Amino acid sequence: MKILLSGTASDSHTWNLVFLRLFLEEQGHEVVGLGPCVDAELLAAGCLGHRPDMVVLSSVNGHGYRDGLAAVRRLRAEPALAGLPVVLGGKLGIAGHRQETEVTALTEAGCDAVLGEDLDALRGFLAARARREVPA
Ligand code: B12
């Protein structure tokens, strides 16, 4: 799969993105990285330009729920990107645990999975999507 990997608007951390690129490439995926501090507008433009099969958003600075919501809303406002799978993960808030109200808002906005730091869950999500792409 071609995966667009991106940080979120307020987040300047980069080693999460380096790690995730290696993690995704190790599993045979092609990765297009937009880097850190990607606002929703740039993310949408990146998706329209690169036409990925999936978007993986990573945020660790504690603003992930808020930035992620803006990103997902912007992508879903673009008719051509309405069905593009979007996964968000990392250290998404500052509470130190999963915040269900924020997860619900993200899901309702069209985020396909909110995974926190769970790389096994990401591996499972990717495998399920890849299977769906192979015709029976
Ligand atoms: C190194 C570091 C920095 C460096 C960044 C260097 C760089 N080039 O990236 C510097 C010093 C610049 C920095 C700055 C800041 N940092 Co900092 N930083 C860290 C630190 C110590 C390590 C992060 C790291 O690189 N880890 C290695 C990478 C490989 O791991 P990772 O980022 O955790 O990513 C893993 C998982 O989160 C997960 N994951 C990540 N994304 C995704 C996505 C999906 C889909 C999935 C499934 C999994 C996943 O997979 C990765 C591999 O396991 C952490 C504390 C810590 N021990 O984690 C704080 C930390 C992330 N920073 C923090 C903060 C607050 C900041 C600042 C806001 C501080 C400030 N007041 O200026 C700024 C950021 C400013 C901004 N606008 O974003 C907080 C975030 C708070 C929170 N989320 O609860 C942390 C947790 C420290 C803390 N305990 O308070 N930081």
Side-chain angles (χ1 to χ4, degrees), residues 75-119:
L75 294 182
R76 295 309 183 223
E78 206 63 54
L81 305 177
L84 178 64
V86 179
V87 178
L88 172 68
K91 299 181 201 298
L92 296 175
I94 53 166
H97 57 80
R98 187 175 168 89
Q99 293 168 242
E100 291 305 336
T101 309
E102 318 292 344
V103 173
T104 302
L106 274 156
T107 307
E108 286 176 358
C111 190
D112 295 275
V114 183
L115 300 179
E117 297 185 78
D118 191 346
L119 293 167

Side-chain angles (χ1 to χ4, degrees), residues 5 9-20 23 37 56-63 87-96 113 115-123:
L5 171 65
S10 74
D11 197 336
S12 66
H13 291 87
T14 54
W15 295 334
N16 49 321
L17 301 174
V18 172
F19 183 99
L20 285 169
F23 176 82
C37 296
V56 175
L57 296 175
S58 168
S59 183
V60 296
N61 72 347
H63 299 293
V87 178
L88 172 68
K91 299 181 201 298
L92 296 175
I94 53 166
L115 300 179
E117 297 185 78
D118 191 346
L119 293 167
D120 285 336
L122 177 58
R123 192 183 281 114

Side-chain angles (χ1 to χ4, degrees), residues 26-91:
E26 205 175 74
Q27 288 163 74
H29 300 295
E30 177 189 351
V31 176
V32 177
L34 293 189
C37 296
V38 174
D39 66 28
E41 207 52 47
L42 180 58
L43 179 67
C47 290
L48 290 169
H50 290 287
R51 293 280 164 192
D53 302 304
M54 183 183 297
V55 173
V56 175
L57 296 175
S58 168
S59 183
V60 296
N61 72 347
H63 299 293
Y65 287 120
R66 193 196 62 186
D67 283 354
L69 189 58
V72 171
R73 283 182 175 153
R74 179 63 189 88
L75 294 182
R76 295 309 183 223
E78 206 63 54
L81 305 177
L84 178 64
V86 179
V87 178
L88 172 68
K91 299 181 201 298

